[in-house]
Amino acid sequence: MTDSQTTAVPSRPSLGVRIGRIAFLVVAGIVVVAVAAAFFVTWTIQRSFPQTSGSLELDGLSAEVTVQRDSQGIPTITADTTGDLFFAEGFVHAQDRFFEMDFRRHVTAGRVAEMFGESQAGTDAFLRTLGWRTVAEAEVDAMDETTLGYYEAYADGVNAYLASRSGAELSLEYAVIGMQNPDYRPEPWEPADSVAWLKAMAWDLRGNIEDETERALLAAELDGGDGATATPETQALLEKLYPAYPFDENPVIVPKITAVQEGGTDADAASATLPDDTGIQEASTTIEWEETSSVIEAASILVGDVGEGIGSNSWVVSGSLTESGMPLLANDPHLGASLPSVWYQVQLKCSTVDDECPFDVGGFSFSGLPGVVIGHNQSIAWGFTNLTTDVTDLYVERIEGDQYWRDGALVPLEERTETIKVAGGDDIELTIRSTGHGPIISGLTDASSAIAEDPLPGLTADPSTGSGAQEGTSGTQEGTSGTQVVPPGSGADAEYAVSLRWTALDPGTAATAIFALSTAQDFEGFRAAASLFDVPAQNLIYADTSGNIGYQTPGRLPIRGAGDGWMPQPGWDSSYDWTGFIPFEELPVSYNPSSGYIVTANNAIVADDYAYFLSRDWDYGYRAARIVHLIERRAAVAPLTAEDMREIQMDSEMWIGKRLATALGDIEVSGAGPKAAVDLLQTWDAQNAASSAGAAYANVLWSNLVQNVFADREQPLPSDGQGRLFTVVSTMLDDPADPLWTNEKLGVAGMPEMLARSAEDAYDELSARQGTDVDRWNWGDLHAITLTSDTLGSSGIAPIEALFNRGPYPVSGGASVVNATGWEIGSDYSTTTVPSMRMVVDLADLDASSWNHLTGASGHAFHANYVDQTADWAAGVQRPWAFSPKQVDAATVDTLVLTPAG
């Protein structure tokens, strides 16, 4: 072949060029996959977003219903009949929050393992033992026809939504769950699913179970765990660590019980006058679901934790103290942080308000529950705080086989068997045993099991030692809370169990009270509704458009026999049983008090001379005292406004921080850094503002001081809340010779050394977290809140958690301050309990009332209303919420018309 005939052979591209082409193709492929994945995720996410405008035909409606939503997605529902009204509320709740509702009903029924697998079986066993669902079914069976109709209509509305969607169309969470549990399908909604959630809220506000358990274990530990009678030293230490309420320093809710006459008036009511003294009164196979060492802890994660900050603030101010001449009512319940928020704002309006359709109400509901729980109607407003009365008791039972001792005789245990179904695993058969007091919980919780294995001093002494009755009889001996009965046959081989007596385990009427509150038109109707609100026990405050204010203690509050419930009691002696409940007519009530205001903040309700025992475990009243002080101080200068109420809700003064700043004034600390930190406290305004360096140091100092005082001691750090520790440490600061200031294991002797050591430790900790420049410290970042989904937010898989969790958000406030953003001593200072919502109702102009809650209306991740209220919540910003028809129309951005099918 000649040269002219040769064909040129193309040269091979260089290695670099080939790598470049390969890299391009790989990148292009990744981009295509990423874009496709993004479209898929976006489509999966958005397909669950509800329709909020236009019209929908639904089976089950009798006439058109209008759902108007404002810019925050908050619905106002208007219907011609109550059946259609609650049907529509069920439909709308399901639109925005069905996964939350579905999860909650599995919690309340003890069926979480059906969704999330074997890791939740222990929690299910505990919740099945409590039997919330069984009690809820009994309450439904006992409902009057009208109330039952509301719950059935609501369930029909939820089910109408379920009929239109399934799987990921309902919520993104179902797409994730489907990867592990592909066979899971939501069941139809039932009225008992709604009622059971009230039991969960009662658990969240359950009172002093943890205190009672902690005291029992501490008493046993301090006395050597040998069953001997508690020593006077042990009793004295318990009373020191659990001091009485400071009645001489902090206020009670009802200083004088009102004699309410027919028609709801008070013969002694007078115009408001401020006290002369204006001080603090001047008094999956792949998802690792979260497991915990404690079943109660696990239940609390699912439902709510009675930790630091659980409680609430509420107060009402008479028109005699306000600029408008009409009452102002403020409320901010403190609950565990959750995403979505536990609350759902909604307004329920009958087209024509009459006896057949009496609702014209707006406020906060629970998704899954018909009606409005806290809010106002066209005539009255009301708010709640936790009553903090003792409605739970633990009983130590003497067990022999399938019987237990009762007044010298053996009585059969009640038994039932239930099956726990487990996603991806085998069914578990559960035997539940109960005594006349309630279910046996030892064997299910670590603490109650420990009490059963080593019962309280004074409960278990062997009669053969001569300290009690002989075998087969009953005798007495002194224990940690008075005379206690020695059980027949007790001795070294005794078998004990712990049972739980709790008002929420009896069928009640709270599910009916919700509607009675919503339709009450005056104080008499309000009190009638309060008489039905038995569980959870709450302080109820009241205001009306006629200018009246009031307060009522509701709840089913036990009358005890020989004991006071401060410690576990002997189950074998019926003299320790509850003997009944305080008659409603004898519960504390206040109507138009002369002070012109009523403040509730989980403080003591009445003085100790009240005819019935209520509790020894009140909040210690620092929030209440501060609120009273601010109301009195402001009212002495100018008439109060709604803005004053909002500012008081955000007050963050740290009472114990002021005491520590004073105590450290004369204390020598080592090092330039600690000295600079202590100097911060001398100019700090005692406000736990997010931007405050002084607040950051004060809280870290407080944490270190408390931990150092209790470090490596036999007596553990009390865990139920910081208000009690304020009282304990404040008393110690008044007594430099208190032996608790000396901790030999830390090498610290006396108050000056303990304060100096704690100040230096606090500087070391905070400088490691936020640097050595003390002026750059800030409380908000240290105390930030990360909103965590109650389910998939703790899955252990970062990409899944990122889908559902939000934050962190810098937060002001703190523990046992009015702006009660709670945190746990010994933790990382992050916010765990919160003012779950804030509202200020202006009875002069309901449209000017302001509202906010922790997250947003929607439970759908990435929806515009998922966390659109959180920034406002952190900043303390509340926004008006239109109530009158004209203003609702003006605020409406989306309107959905629900019409009868066909």
Side-chain angles (χ1 to χ4, degrees):
M1 184 178 295
T2 64
D3 289 342
S4 62
Q5 294 174 318
T6 60
T7 302
V9 178
S11 62
R12 298 182 62 189
S14 68
L15 179 61
V17 172
R18 281 184 285 150
I19 291 174
R21 290 177 179 173
I22 293 170
F24 172 79
L25 292 173
V26 170
V27 171
I30 290 173
V31 170
V32 170
V33 171
V35 170
F39 274 117
F40 176 76
V41 170
T42 301
W43 174 75
T44 300
I45 290 171
Q46 292 185 346
R47 66 196 287 220
S48 67
F49 290 0
Q51 179 180 339
T52 57
S53 60
S55 63
L56 284 172
E57 289 189 0
L58 298 175
D59 287 323
L61 286 175
S62 65
E64 284 190 356
V65 177
T66 302
V67 182
Q68 298 168 272
R69 292 180 185 257
D70 63 16
S71 61
Q72 294 184 310
I74 300 168
T76 295
I77 303 171
T78 306
D80 293 342
T81 66
T82 56
D84 285 350
L85 188 66
F86 292 114
F87 180 103
E89 186 184 19
F91 186 85
V92 169
H93 275 174
Q95 279 189 307
D96 287 337
R97 299 281 193 93
F98 181 72
F99 178 77
E100 176 191 18
M101 294 163 58
D102 194 20
F103 171 63
R104 283 177 175 178
R105 66 167 163 178
H106 279 78
V107 171
T108 57
R111 296 174 55 192
V112 185
E114 292 182 22
M115 297 181 79
F116 300 124
E118 188 175 3
S119 67
Q120 300 303 319
T123 307
D124 279 351
F126 178 67
L127 295 172
R128 292 282 186 98
T129 298
L130 295 184
W132 294 346
R133 170 72 187 204
T134 301
V135 178
E137 290 172 349
E139 291 188 8
V140 171
D141 289 342
M143 281 180 182
D144 64 273
E145 184 177 347
T146 298
T147 303
L148 179 60
Y150 297 159
Y151 280 91
E152 289 177 337
Y154 180 90
D156 289 343
V158 175
N159 292 330
Y161 192 69
L162 292 183
S164 68
R165 299 188 177 212
S166 62
E169 295 172 328
L170 287 169
S171 188
L172 176 61
E173 285 90 341
Y174 290 113
V176 178
I177 290 175
M179 294 187 295
Q180 178 181 354
N181 187 2
D183 296 330
Y184 179 76
R185 300 289 185 275
E187 298 172 353
W189 195 263
E190 298 178 356
D193 294 327
S194 296
V195 176
W197 185 242
L198 290 174
K199 305 304 172 187
M201 292 309 300
W203 174 260
D204 201 3
L205 303 168
R206 58 194 174 272
N208 78 334
I209 273 187
E210 281 78 5
D211 287 343
E212 191 174 331
T213 300
E214 189 175 85
R215 287 189 288 262
L217 296 177
L218 179 56
E221 183 176 349
L222 293 176
D223 285 301
D226 58 2
T229 302
T231 65
E233 292 78 11
T234 294
Q235 182 68 12
L237 181 57
L238 285 172
E239 291 176 355
K240 181 176 183 176
L241 296 178
Y242 295 85
Y245 184 83
F247 287 102
D248 57 336
E249 298 177 12
N250 292 339
V252 299
I253 297 171
V254 183
K256 176 186 177 184
I257 295 178
T258 298
V260 178
Q261 299 177 340
E262 288 298 320
T265 60
D266 172 18
D268 299 322
S271 60
T273 56
L274 287 173
D276 293 335
D277 184 1
T278 56
I280 293 186
Q281 190 136 47
E282 204 152 81
S284 167
T285 55
T286 57
I287 297 176
E288 296 296 327
W289 302 106
E290 181 165 358
E291 297 186 54
T292 65
S293 58
S294 164
V295 171
I296 285 186
E297 178 187 351
S300 296
I301 287 172
L302 297 178
V303 178
D305 181 16
V306 181
E308 174 52 47
I310 291 295
S312 303
N313 301 322
S314 71
W315 63 91
V316 60
V317 179
S318 165
S320 59
L321 300 180
T322 68
E323 187 177 80
S324 70
M326 292 297 289
L328 294 167
L329 184 148
N331 195 190
D332 55 289
H334 308 153
L335 299 169
S338 61
L339 178 61
S341 162
V342 68
W343 299 108
Y344 184 95
Q345 280 178 267
V346 66
Q347 293 187 141
L348 303 173
K349 293 177 174 287
C350 294
S351 304
T352 300
V353 179
D354 55 23
D355 290 343
E356 294 299 314
C357 194
F359 295 95
D360 186 8
V361 60
F364 292 96
S365 67
F366 297 133
S367 58
L369 186 72
V372 167
V373 178
I374 294 176
H376 69 80
N377 59 29
Q378 73 277 34
S379 300
I380 76 165
W382 67 95
F384 288 176
T385 65
N386 195 12
L387 200 63
T388 328
T389 47
D390 186 358
V391 295
T392 58
D393 279 343
L394 297 175
Y395 285 89
V396 178
E397 310 283 5
R398 173 68 165 93
I399 304 294
E400 289 192 20
D402 59 359
Q403 298 178 301
Y404 67 103
W405 283 98
R406 185 82 169 142
D407 290 336
L410 283 169
V411 179
L413 287 163
E414 298 177 19
E415 288 192 0
R416 72 178 192 274
T417 301
E418 297 196 10
T419 301
I420 298 174
K421 295 186 179 297
V422 179
D426 296 331
D427 292 351
I428 298 173
E429 295 298 316
L430 174 67
T431 299
I432 298 169
R433 302 189 301 169
S434 300
T435 72
H437 298 114
I440 291 175
I441 61 173
S442 48
L444 296 172
T445 74
D446 297 339
S448 60
S449 299
I451 293 173
E453 291 171 4
D454 186 12
L456 277 177
L459 286 179
T460 61
D462 189 341
S464 66
T465 65
S467 60
Q470 298 300 311
E471 184 79 8
T473 64
S474 293
T476 63
Q477 65 180 58
E478 288 301 314
T480 55
S481 59
T483 301
Q484 298 185 331
V485 176
V486 178
S490 62
D493 60 346
E495 179 186 350
Y496 295 95
V498 176
S499 63
L500 172 64
R501 181 75 173 100
W502 179 27
T503 54
L505 302 185
D506 301 328
T509 53
T512 301
I514 293 168
F515 306 104
L517 277 171
S518 292
T519 55
Q521 299 298 305
D522 53 28
F523 193 60
E524 186 176 11
F526 167 78
R527 292 191 72 224
S531 70
L532 298 171
F533 205 97
D534 47 9
V535 175
Q538 300 287 288
N539 295 297
L540 267 63
I541 60 168
Y542 168 92
D544 64 35
T545 54
S546 297
N548 301 299
I549 66 172
Y551 164 89
Q552 177 67 55
T553 297
R556 188 188 301 135
L557 307 183
I559 300 174
R560 290 175 170 82
D564 63 7
W566 203 63
M567 300 275 271
Q569 300 173 116
W572 47 84
D573 182 357
S574 63
S575 68
Y576 286 83
D577 289 358
W578 295 357
T579 61
F581 299 97
I582 301 174
F584 180 78
E585 295 75 16
E586 299 181 41
L587 291 171
V589 58
S590 181
Y591 189 65
N592 291 331
S594 60
S595 65
Y597 61 80
I598 302 167
V599 172
T600 86
N602 318 116
N603 50 316
I605 301 171
V606 288
D608 266 349
D609 58 359
Y610 181 60
Y612 297 96
F613 173 79
L614 295 175
S615 181
R616 291 176 62 183
D617 288 311
W618 308 110
D619 178 272
Y620 281 78
Y622 297 100
R623 286 181 287 117
R626 178 65 176 170
I627 294 166
V628 165
H629 170 66
L630 291 173
I631 289 173
E632 292 180 352
R633 187 178 72 183
R634 289 174 181 237
V637 174
L640 296 168
T641 66
E643 182 60 26
D644 288 319
M645 303 298 100
R646 290 187 283 269
E647 289 178 359
I648 292 173
Q649 286 180 328
M650 291 301 293
D651 180 77
S652 295
E653 184 181 270
M654 183 184 180
W655 182 85
I656 195 64
K658 293 194 299 182
R659 291 229 60 192
L660 292 178
T662 300
L664 280 168
D666 299 324
I667 301 296
E668 289 292 327
V669 295
S670 299
K675 289 179 180 177
V678 171
D679 287 343
L680 276 178
L681 297 184
Q682 306 311 310
T683 57
W684 174 51
D685 62 1
Q687 289 285 329
N688 282 339
S691 60
S692 173
Y697 183 66
N699 282 273
V700 176
L701 168 64
W702 166 243
S703 178
N704 277 271
L705 174 63
V706 172
Q707 291 182 82
N708 285 341
V709 166
F710 290 97
D712 299 320
R713 294 184 188 268
E714 287 182 333
Q715 61 268 27
L717 171 65
S719 62
D720 67 315
Q722 295 185 38
R724 174 160 60 86
L725 290 172
F726 282 12
T727 301
V728 172
V729 174
S730 179
T731 301
M732 292 171 59
L733 288 169
D734 291 332
D735 181 12
D738 191 307
L740 282 178
W741 287 122
T742 295
N743 191 326
E744 295 179 357
K745 293 183 180 179
L746 292 184
V748 174
M751 186 175 82
E753 285 190 28
M754 180 63 77
L755 290 173
R757 164 70 180 265
S758 300
E760 293 159 9
D761 289 349
Y763 171 81
D764 292 341
E765 179 183 351
L766 192 50
S767 62
R769 290 175 180 270
Q770 295 190 341
T772 57
D773 185 347
V774 299
D775 293 327
R776 296 177 66 87
W777 291 345
N778 78 88
W779 176 231
D781 288 346
L782 193 65
H783 189 45
I785 186 171
T786 297
L787 298 175
T788 303
S789 165
D790 291 335
T791 53
L792 301 174
S794 302
S795 66
I797 298 177
I800 290 177
E801 293 181 355
L803 288 174
F804 299 101
N805 297 344
R806 298 293 182 270
Y809 301 87
V811 172
S812 61
S816 290
V817 303
V818 178
N819 181 18
T821 53
W823 56 276
E824 300 293 339
I825 286 180
S827 72
D828 61 357
Y829 304 95
S830 59
T831 297
T832 57
T833 55
V834 296
S836 55
M837 65 80 165
R838 299 184 182 101
M839 75 175 190
V840 175
V841 181
D842 187 343
L843 277 299
D845 182 1
L846 294 173
D847 286 323
S849 302
S850 58
W851 314 73
N852 177 260
H853 67 116
L854 180 63
T855 59
S858 179
H860 297 288
F862 300 100
H863 191 279
N865 302 128
Y866 187 49
V867 290
D868 60 321
Q869 296 191 43
T870 304
D872 280 351
W873 173 88
V877 175
Q878 298 177 39
R879 301 190 184 278
W881 184 23
F883 181 72
S884 66
K886 180 179 179 181
Q887 293 301 317
V888 169
D889 289 344
T892 297
V893 297
D894 282 318
T895 300
L896 177 66
V897 179
L898 306 177
T899 62

